[in-house]
Amino acid sequence: MRSPPRAEAFPAHTPAASQVFITVLSHGPLTRSDIGGRAGLSAAAVTKAVRPLMEAGYLVEDEDARPSLGRPANPVRVDGGRALFIGVKITGDEIIAVLTDLCCRIRQARHLPLTARQPGAVLARAAELVHELLTEADGFGVPVHGLGVAVSGDVDRAAGVVRYSPFLEWRDVRLSELMEMTTGLPVTVDNDVRALTVAEQWFGAGVGLSDFALVTVGAGVGCGLVVHGRVVSGAHGVAGEIGHMVIDPAGPPCHCGNRGCVEAIAADRAIVAAVREATGVPVADATEAVALAHRGDRGAREVYTRAGEAIGRAIGTVANLFGPERVIISGEGLAAYDLFAEQIRDAFAASAFGTAARCDLQTRPLPFDEWARGAAATAIQSFIRAQTRH
Ligand SMILES: [Zn+2]
């Protein structure tokens, strides 16, 4: 394994200690007995884990509650300002970077358009943004403990390699090594939807849920899965690729080589192409396609109907496969949500088997800053778990 260039050791040396910290991070402030209840740990185990985290300033205790009791009953919370992190999301035409605190609250955000997609050019621009945020971080007087980078496609987090990213046309880019060299920070590289899933699990609509999915609709159609409290990466680093679930074998060709994938019907590029074909109007992008449908153009509306059916069937399959309590639907494609919400729900209900249909479908707008925040969440995750002996 690569050793990160500069990392302060986080005082959680056992899985139980990381679990205690993550429980407080997601649910805090909590009393020690609440932490034990939620994490399934004994009072002694909680006390043992909390002590070094408090000594190092990562956890703090609120003083005023019930001071007369002999044993510590005061709520404990994470001191968000104790450490900073940077998250970077790379899309096909923009880089978004955020500086967050340890509670993943965004302190600063920066955007930079991408004019070239070659790894060297993209990395130079990403490094530029990271250095700007490192300068901002100096003003807080707290060190930046890690950098997370989120990229769409097949990403091997453990190796720090982007194996294949269709929107960037990258293959086998050793992203974490390259970013570590230019920034001097420990770097975590992950698939963008998985990174957003980590943020939703710890800080968003997935808090407290053992099984949920995040489905994103936009430039691509992605899906992050949390099963038994763990974000699923799969044995080979690819999991939840609902975008390439075949809905119509005779449908339009997909960039993956198959036909009629969800992405070939419901991703932005597919929708734009289908709207042009159906209406003869040369819409330039998804925004124009949505506008045309909103003006009531029948051909454009039918394209959204088909897209909604494809997404709904894909979500139904996700529900059938692992029975999530909730599916969060997000992504830039939500701008069209009113155009296909009904079809998504109907196709979901028709394809979900039995009680799998009880799954709660929740829409949640998460702009690109939130995706960059997801990248920061993976850096926080790496930092918390770096010292853990499993
Ligand atoms: Zn495909």
Side-chain angles (χ1 to χ4, degrees):
M1 246 187 90
R2 292 165 301 105
S3 56
R6 158 181 122 189
E8 178 186 312
F10 185 70
H13 301 285
T14 60
S18 320
Q19 189 55 34
V20 163
F21 187 78
I22 293 163
T23 302
V24 181
L25 190 61
S26 294
H27 300 276
L30 292 174
T31 63
R32 287 170 176 76
S33 72
D34 288 340
I35 299 169
R38 285 187 181 273
L41 294 167
S42 69
V46 172
T47 303
K48 193 177 165 201
V50 164
R51 194 179 300 124
L53 289 165
M54 284 190 61
E55 282 167 7
Y58 290 103
L59 293 181
V60 289
E61 191 163 355
D62 293 325
E63 300 265 327
D64 50 359
R66 293 187 288 170
S68 61
L69 290 178
R71 46 189 302 233
N74 297 332
V76 170
R77 62 181 169 80
V78 172
D79 179 5
R82 174 65 179 77
L84 296 172
F85 296 85
I86 294 174
V88 172
K89 151 89 171 163
I90 303 173
T91 75
D93 47 22
E94 193 184 21
I95 304 180
I96 305 97
V98 295
L99 178 70
T100 78
D101 66 13
L102 179 57
C103 293
C104 220
R105 288 178 293 231
I106 297 177
R107 300 286 185 97
Q108 297 278 338
R110 293 273 194 284
H111 293 227
L112 208 57
L114 267 189
T115 44
R117 292 178 183 170
Q118 295 88 346
V122 174
L123 293 186
R125 304 224 84 183
E128 204 178 305
L129 281 183
V130 170
H131 282 116
E132 275 181 34
L133 289 178
L134 283 172
T135 306
E136 294 286 344
D138 283 344
F140 292 101
V142 180
V144 173
H145 281 316
L147 165 66
V149 185
V151 180
S152 72
D154 179 357
V155 179
D156 183 339
R157 174 168 170 167
V161 175
V162 178
R163 295 200 187 288
Y164 175 50
S165 183
F167 298 122
L168 293 164
E169 293 164 35
W170 286 6
R171 279 187 192 275
D172 297 317
V173 177
R174 307 187 66 79
L175 188 55
S176 67
E177 197 180 301
L178 295 166
M179 287 301 288
E180 277 173 4
M181 284 196 300
T182 51
T183 65
L185 294 168
V187 176
T188 304
V189 175
D190 211 336
N191 165 274
D192 57 350
V193 179
R194 216 153 47 212
L196 192 58
T197 306
V198 171
E200 286 298 281
Q201 183 190 23
W202 284 8
F203 308 105
V207 169
L209 302 182
S210 147
D211 302 273
F212 74 93
L214 168 70
V215 170
T216 61
V217 184
V221 177
C223 176
L225 301 172
V226 171
V227 178
H228 291 318
R230 293 185 79 100
V231 178
V232 177
S233 296
H236 308 287
V238 173
E241 277 296 335
I242 63 165
H244 300 287
M245 196 180 281
V246 175
I247 297 291
D248 176 7
C254 182
H255 62 84
C256 74
N258 295 306
R259 281 187 167 273
C261 296
V262 176
E263 237 176 67
I265 298 170
D268 284 349
R269 211 184 301 181
I271 286 177
V272 168
V275 166
R276 281 186 197 153
E277 198 181 312
T279 64
V281 181
V283 289
D285 54 22
T287 310
E288 289 187 20
V290 171
L292 185 62
H294 277 154
R295 287 199 296 273
D297 183 285
R298 186 182 288 184
R301 292 194 80 100
E302 277 170 11
V303 170
Y304 282 97
T305 295
R306 276 199 297 280
E309 284 166 1
I311 295 164
R313 279 177 65 181
I315 294 173
T317 304
V318 168
N320 290 345
L321 281 175
F322 83 109
E325 195 172 330
R326 174 175 296 158
V327 174
I328 304 158
I329 307 170
S330 191
E332 60 280 22
L334 276 197
Y337 197 70
D338 61 306
L339 295 169
F340 53 34
E342 201 184 314
Q343 288 78 14
I344 289 179
R345 285 182 186 277
D346 287 353
F348 165 74
S351 53
F353 179 76
T355 48
R358 285 186 195 166
C359 167
D360 165 41
L361 299 193
Q362 194 176 96
T363 52
R364 198 163 135 77
L366 296 166
F368 280 132
D369 282 5
E370 297 294 318
W371 291 66
R373 181 173 172 261
T378 65
I380 294 171
Q381 195 180 42
S382 296
F383 175 65
I384 291 171
R385 290 184 177 157
Q387 307 298 320
T388 306
R389 293 184 305 264
H390 282 278

